[in-house]
Amino acid sequence: MTTSSATPDQHGSTAPTGETPLVPVGVLGARGRMGTEVVKAVNAADDLELVAMVDAGDWLFDVANAGAQVVVDFTRPDVVMDNIRFCIDNNIHCVVGTTGFDEEKLATVAEWLRPKPGVGVVIAPNFGIGAVLLMRFAQEAARFFPSTEIVELHHPNKVDAPSGTAVRTARLVAAARRAAGLPHPPDATTDSLPGARGADVEGVPVHAVRLTGLVAHQEVLMGAAGETLTLRHDSYDRASFMPGVLLAVREIGRRPGLTVGIESFLGL
Ligand SMILES: NC(=O)C1=CN([C@@H]2O[C@H](COP(=O)(O)OP(=O)(O)OC[C@H]3O[C@@H](n4cnc5c(N)ncnc54)[C@H](O)[C@@H]3O)[C@@H](O)[C@H]2O)C=CC1
Ligand SMILES: O=C(O)C1=N[C@H](C(=O)O)C[C@H](O)C1
């Protein structure tokens, strides 16, 4: 199947005049909550072709055998590194939404990419445009407020806590606070139950709520003398992540190396 356009495809392959080949896409975690939504979104896109759906117990080689040029990974923090390694080794670009990345894992991926200058990997804790903007707004506002705390709220089937988005937001806020020379936020607590003040992510308290009925939500609360600022984002449906995922799938062939977050794809 082809679309009718004269432009070359994002991977640089040559197309017959007037036609652009569809980008072959594989989905890892294809039977999961996010994978199911990605499969629907890829099938609905005129310029993409779903060539492989892989879930736990399936053969990873299927994505390479099917000729996938881009793989989308929404699996689990404990398996995603093996998947990325496989894709890089097989010259397949990766769009990764799976969470659980720290600086060490990101450095490892960057190292794997070094001998593969044509391969791109984007790892984004959140593909929701509103969530990306929330992170940016929090980063901008952080230096004006002595106190910042983060509350993330998710469905109870989520395996990781705090969320990848909350951890990244906390790190961005912490970096902005450091750059502005802000001291540790005021907090007189000396007596508390374990966990009552949340997880400490680079000095920013992060609180995780797991509640039936929720999808993915985050509040960043900032306080100064006599005022507070609350930034909130809500994903009510996993469809909210799809414009960002499809943008990354279309863009990643032009972005060799490691990209963290989709901010640069959005021109932010
Ligand atoms: N970046 C973003 O915008 C978003 C990220 N996420 C993250 O995506 C990940 C998945 O979330 P959900 O879809 O809710 O989880 P889920 O549990 O519904 O889906 C994960 C799927 O991966 C499969 N899987 C496990 N091991 C595998 C392997 N080795 N190869 C292929 N498939 C394998 C599981 O069988 C399951 O079907 C989580 O880390 C979550 O935090 C979720 C939503 C948005
Ligand atoms: O597991 C989820 O659902 C989500 N995971 C991501 C995260 O951990 O930040 C993104 C979003 O919050 C939904």
Side-chain angles (χ1 to χ4, degrees), residues 97 99 125-126 154-155 158 160 162-166 215-217 238 241:
T99 46
N126 204 309
H154 281 83
H155 59 93
K158 184 166 176 58
D160 55 319
S163 70
T165 309
V215 177
H217 316 260
R238 291 180 180 83
F241 302 111

Side-chain angles (χ1 to χ4, degrees), residues 33-34 74 97-100 124-128 131 135 152-155 157-168 210 214-218 233 235 238 241:
R33 285 176 289 270
M34 282 299 289
F74 283 96
T98 307
T99 46
N126 204 309
F127 284 96
M135 284 188 262
E152 58 93 331
L153 309 93
H154 281 83
H155 59 93
N157 296 315
K158 184 166 176 58
V159 295
D160 55 319
S163 70
T165 309
V167 171
R168 182 158 160 83
R210 296 292 173 265
L214 296 181
V215 177
H217 316 260
Q218 176 166 291
H233 175 259
S235 275
R238 291 180 180 83
F241 302 111

Side-chain angles (χ1 to χ4, degrees), residues 27-36 54-58 60 73-80 82-83 96-100 124-128 154-155 157-160 163-165 216 238 241 245:
V27 178
L28 305 185
R31 291 194 290 273
R33 285 176 289 270
M34 282 299 289
T36 307
V54 170
D55 205 279
D58 296 338
L60 194 48
D73 186 303
F74 283 96
T75 58
R76 295 176 57 98
D78 54 331
V79 302
V80 64
D82 287 346
N83 293 345
V96 179
T98 307
T99 46
N126 204 309
F127 284 96
H154 281 83
H155 59 93
N157 296 315
K158 184 166 176 58
V159 295
D160 55 319
S163 70
T165 309
R238 291 180 180 83
F241 302 111
V245 170

